[in-house]
Amino acid sequence: KAAIIMRLQAIGEECLNQARSGHKYKNQTGNLCSSIGYCITDDGNIINQGLWQSIAGKDGNGADGKNAGMQYMQEIASEKATQGITFIMVAGMPYAQYVEAMSLDVLDTSEQMAVKKIRAMLDKLFKK
């Protein structure tokens, strides 16, 4: 269990770095980029999460985004992660889905990366 959690943390950090640096949207206020984070839960309790950072944009310091992301992460974790080990990644600003719909990659690439890496980890773990 500890090895799975450590590997999920490594995957989370890779995906977090990709989401924060691989986007194509303009980082005006820093809020969207600052609202991105991940956590790992065990039976509904957050046991690990990425470092939340305020990332400055052209017109802001990203603090509102950081706070929104942390709050959204708590909400999702309490609603969705009730049993077993869960990996959750969020963009906490309400307009993230609209930016994503304009093909400006907020979490799409990171989500695909996470799915691929987690599947590979599980395949290796449960290889017969």
Side-chain angles (χ1 to χ4, degrees):
K1 187 173 182 176
I4 291 171
I5 292 168
M6 285 178 51
R7 183 65 188 130
L8 286 174
Q9 181 180 0
I11 291 169
E13 290 300 318
E14 285 181 71
C15 294
L16 182 59
N17 288 334
Q18 194 289 321
R20 288 181 177 165
S21 63
H23 60 80
K24 293 180 178 144
Y25 56 85
K26 292 182 181 178
N27 196 15
Q28 294 291 327
T29 62
N31 287 331
L32 183 55
C33 201
S34 299
S35 77
I36 298 171
Y38 77 91
C39 73
I40 301 160
T41 68
D42 188 9
D43 293 333
N45 300 309
I46 294 176
I47 57 171
N48 198 310
Q49 61 183 315
L51 178 64
W52 290 97
Q53 297 178 332
S54 293
I55 299 168
K58 187 179 95 177
D59 300 323
N61 65 10
D64 290 341
K66 175 183 169 185
N67 293 333
M70 291 170 64
Q71 181 179 355
Y72 187 55
M73 175 81 67
Q74 290 288 333
E75 290 172 22
I76 295 298
S78 67
E79 291 173 12
K80 305 288 184 190
T82 56
Q83 290 185 328
I85 298 171
T86 308
F87 177 86
I88 300 169
M89 189 163 196
V90 301
M93 294 307 289
Y95 55 85
Q97 64 186 348
Y98 300 108
V99 175
E100 199 68 74
M102 294 187 295
S103 299
L104 294 174
D105 193 16
V106 178
L107 287 181
D108 275 348
T109 301
S110 296
E111 179 182 4
Q112 293 167 10
M113 179 190 301
V115 168
K116 181 179 176 183
K117 290 179 178 282
I118 291 169
R119 279 191 184 142
M121 175 190 71
L122 294 173
D123 287 348
K124 187 175 180 180
L125 182 65
F126 296 108
K127 189 175 182 180
K128 294 182 180 182

